[in-house]
Amino acid sequence: MTPAVLGLVLFASVAHALWNIAAKSVSGKGYAFVLAYHGLSAILLAPIAVWLLVSGTHEFSLGLLSAAVLSASFHIAYSVALQSGYDHAPLGVVYPTARGVGPIITIIIAVLFLGERPTPPESIGAFIVLAGIAVVTVRPRGAGFRANSHGSHSHGIGRGLAWGALIGTFIASYTLWDDFAVNHITDSPLLYFAVSEACVAVIMALGIVALPGGAGRRGDVTSILAEHKPALVTVAILSPLAYLLVLFAMQQAPVSLVAPVRETSIIVGTLLAWWFFGEKNIGMKLTGAVVVVAGIGLIALG
């Protein structure tokens, strides 16, 4: 992995951690919030997509649309599960579990079924990154979360692990599919993602009309627009920015390497949680950060 590609992925990881902290601040309105920020992202990306098509730089095709619809389905499942997980379990368990499970599944499938063959230093570096992430997520007995509205400490962690595993599966699904799409269906990650975001917005808007409880969700959207504008704008900008950088990176490097490096966002997220929310066990977090940096160094050298 070249330094330039590595830099893209690391910048994306910072943006990803920041928008997840913003998303955590909106609770109880998962579907509506996901619709609102994906809809705003689609609106922001629309002029760029139109320019790419009108300028003749890229072409729209049925294959591109089909790929974007499938990608949108994976991203909707991921986004709704993420917000639901944040509503039912602590961010400090859901987020690192999801971001750790995702790349493990991605690496296994990429190597076994997609024929990717990272160099030995890159492979070792990828697993060192995952080991460092595991160190960050470990919480000694008596540290970490208190019993709260999520229930007891152990039940909160159990729910967090379950939600994190589910979310991680969706992460692997959209990562592998989008990697295939930007390497075999389209050469424009920007156009592909813009169409995908539009598909997410349309599908979820139809859902808010057709699914049971639509009136309540429409009320939630109004509430979000009135009460959660900072979080909405933050997620609508940083979420597509972070993932577009990852899509560009996947055109330049194997997904089996991009996936684990991307999850350095866990380090950023946990350190920000310590800084803003006073989470304990900072020594373990810093140790994990050092391990992750070592793994990234091996990937870069490989």
Side-chain angles (χ1 to χ4, degrees):
M1 183 180 288
T2 66
V5 174
L6 182 60
L8 282 180
V9 182
L10 292 177
F11 187 85
S13 72
V14 175
H16 191 278
L18 291 173
W19 81 250
N20 270 264
I21 288 178
K24 173 64 176 174
S25 68
V26 181
S27 61
K29 303 179 178 69
Y31 189 99
F33 183 62
V34 171
L35 169 60
Y37 75 71
H38 276 294
L40 181 55
S41 294
I43 292 171
L44 295 175
L45 289 168
I48 300 174
V50 171
W51 178 80
L52 289 174
L53 294 173
V54 171
S55 66
T57 306
H58 300 283
E59 295 183 356
F60 185 82
S61 67
L62 182 59
L64 172 64
L65 178 60
S66 300
V69 169
L70 182 55
S71 175
S73 301
F74 287 137
H75 280 277
I76 289 171
Y78 156 74
S79 299
V80 173
L82 183 70
Q83 287 301 131
S84 297
Y86 286 166
D87 282 344
H88 293 89
L91 179 145
V93 177
V94 175
Y95 187 64
T97 302
R99 306 315 302 186
V101 169
I104 290 174
I105 296 174
T106 301
I107 290 172
I108 292 172
I109 293 178
V111 172
L112 293 182
F113 299 104
L114 302 183
E116 291 192 358
R117 294 294 181 267
T119 65
E122 288 173 333
S123 299
I124 295 171
F127 283 100
I128 288 177
V129 168
L130 295 177
I133 290 169
V135 170
V136 171
T137 62
V138 167
R139 292 175 180 270
R141 184 180 300 275
F145 309 117
R146 296 185 298 269
N148 51 29
S149 59
H150 300 303
S152 69
H153 172 87
S154 60
H155 288 169
I157 291 180
R159 279 195 295 268
L161 292 174
W163 279 106
L166 177 63
I167 296 163
T169 301
F170 291 138
I171 290 172
S173 299
Y174 74 64
T175 299
L176 290 165
W177 175 249
D178 290 343
D179 174 67
F180 175 81
V182 298
N183 283 290
H184 300 284
I185 296 177
T186 177
D187 61 352
S188 174
L190 186 53
L191 178 60
Y192 171 72
F193 188 69
V195 175
S196 176
E197 282 292 271
C199 291
V200 170
V202 170
I203 292 171
M204 295 196 72
L206 291 174
I208 210 169
V209 173
L211 293 175
R217 292 193 181 95
R218 289 192 291 274
D220 288 343
V221 171
T222 302
S223 173
I224 288 166
L225 294 176
E227 302 172 10
H228 298 284
K229 287 180 182 177
L232 173 61
V233 173
T234 298
V235 178
I237 293 174
L238 292 185
S239 176
L241 173 62
Y243 199 60
L244 276 169
L245 294 176
V246 170
L247 290 178
F248 280 108
M250 290 194 295
Q251 287 188 317
Q252 307 297 323
V255 67
S256 56
L257 297 181
V258 173
V261 175
R262 181 189 176 204
E263 306 318 334
T264 53
S265 59
I266 296 173
I267 304 298
V268 180
T270 52
L271 290 177
L272 286 175
W274 164 74
W275 180 265
F276 289 109
F277 307 126
E279 285 199 6
K280 299 178 181 180
N281 199 27
I282 186 59
M284 188 71 77
K285 290 177 171 60
L286 292 177
T287 300
V290 171
V291 174
V292 168
V293 170
I296 292 173
L298 275 178
I299 291 174
L301 292 174

